[in-house]
Amino acid sequence: MAAYIAALVTFSECARRLAVDRHLPSALSRDYLTVGLLLASASLVAGAPATMRWSDQHTGVQHVAYLIHCILTMLAMVCMAGFLRTVTMTTVRVRTTVALFAGCAGVLGGLYVLFGTADPQFGVTGRHPASLAFTLIYLGFMITWIVAFIRGAWRISRGADSEVRFGIFLAALGMGVGLVGLVWKALVLLETLVVPDAPIRNSAFTLLAEALGAVLFAAGSGFAAAARRVDESKDQARAEAIKLLWERLRPVWSQSELYTGEDDLDFRRQVVQVFDTCLTLRSYVDPTLEPTIATVITQRRLGARRGARVTAAAKLRIALAAFESGSHVATSGQNADPAPQPTLLAADEQSELGWIAEVARAWTDNAVNDIVQRACASMDPGRCHR
C-alpha cells in the first residue's frame, strides 16, 4: 500500500508539472525532472509486493516485475543525472550516463534471462552468484547516482532563495531516505553472503524507504516550483509597478531627453530612467514639506516602512507637479530619490527595485493624497495641480 500511495503522489507531481507548465517553452531540466518522476512512479508500482505476486501468477514468468522495477528505477536516476547536468553543469555527461545505464541494464537483463526465472530468491539473497551479481550491479548504480544527486542538490541550494532551498532540501532528503533503504539491502545481501545459515530477510524496508523517499522528493519538487512561481509573480508585480511609475514620470524623462522611443519595452532602461528622473526632480522638492509629512505620518500612525514610502511618493508627486508648472524650488539637502538611503556605496539591486515598486504603489495611498492636499492648500495653485 505504501508503494502505491507513493506512486500516486509522485505521479500527481508529474501531472501537475505537465499541466501547470504546458504554456511555458520546453526546458531541458524541467523535462528531465518530469520524466524522472514518471519513471519513479512506475517503478514503485512495479516493485510493490502485490504487483510482483500478480505478475508471477498471471504472466507465468517469475520476478519479471522485479526486473522492471530495477530497470525503471535506474532509468529514473539517469533522468536525475540529466537534470543535474543541466542545472549545475556537472562534469558527467548525459551520454556517458546513458551508456553506463545501457551496459548495466543489458547485464541485468542477461542475468535475469539466464537465472532469474529459475531462482525463487532471485535478487533477494547473495547465495546464488547470479543473484549476487544482479543485486550488486543494481545497488552500485543506484547508490553512486543518489550520492551524486545529493551533492548536486547541495550545489544548487547554495545559490537559491530560502524557500527554494527548502524544496531542494526536501528532495535531497528524499534521496537520502532512499539511499538508507539501499544500504540496508546491501547489508542484508552481505549477511546472507557471509552467514550462509542467516534467515532471509524481507525486503519490505527497502521498498518502504524508496516509497518515503519518493514522496519527499515529489514534495520538494512541488514546494520548490511553488516558491519559484510566487517569486515570479512578485517580480512581475514589481515590474508592472515600476513601469507605471515610469509612465507617471513621463513629463520629466521626455522633456529631459532621457528617453528614446526604441527603449519603450526595455525594463532595465525604464529603471535607469526612473532613477535619472528622481535625480532631476531633486531641485523641485519643497523643503517646507517636512512638517506636513511628519504630521500626517504621526496622525495616521504609520510604521517606519510605510512612512518612508509615503514620504518618497508624496515628494515625487509634488516635485513632479512643480516641474510641470515650470517652478523651481531651492532645496536644503532634501531629495526625491526612490531609495531611503541613497548614499550607501554598496546597494542591493533587488532591494532597490523592490523599494521603487513600493513607492509606485504608494502613489495613490490615502496618506499621500492627504499630504498632497495639505501641501497644495499652502502653495501656489499653479505649482501643485495634481
Side-chain angles (χ1 to χ4, degrees), residues 253-287:
W253 52 252
S254 59
Q255 295 181 34
S256 304
E257 299 181 353
L258 298 173
Y259 164 76
T260 57
E262 62 187 20
D263 296 324
D264 217 9
L265 300 178
D266 187 343
F267 176 71
R268 300 292 302 179
R269 180 63 177 170
Q270 291 174 359
V271 171
V272 172
Q273 288 171 197
V274 167
F275 275 107
D276 289 344
T277 300
C278 291
L279 291 175
T280 301
L281 290 176
R282 276 186 171 187
S283 59
Y284 294 86
V285 177
D286 190 342

Side-chain angles (χ1 to χ4, degrees), residues 238-252:
R238 183 181 64 185
E240 291 175 354
I242 292 175
K243 184 176 181 179
L244 179 60
L245 179 61
W246 176 76
E247 289 285 357
R248 283 169 169 158
L249 298 176
R250 180 184 292 271
V252 182

Side-chain angles (χ1 to χ4, degrees), residues 242 245 249 271-282 305 308-313 315-316 335-342 351-360:
I242 292 175
L245 179 61
L249 298 176
V271 171
V272 172
Q273 288 171 197
V274 167
F275 275 107
D276 289 344
T277 300
C278 291
L279 291 175
T280 301
L281 290 176
R282 276 186 171 187
R305 187 71 179 184
R309 62 175 175 261
V310 162
T311 299
K315 287 182 177 181
L316 277 177
N335 59 73
D337 285 340
Q341 293 179 311
S351 297
E352 288 192 346
L353 293 179
W355 175 253
I356 297 175
E358 288 186 39
V359 173

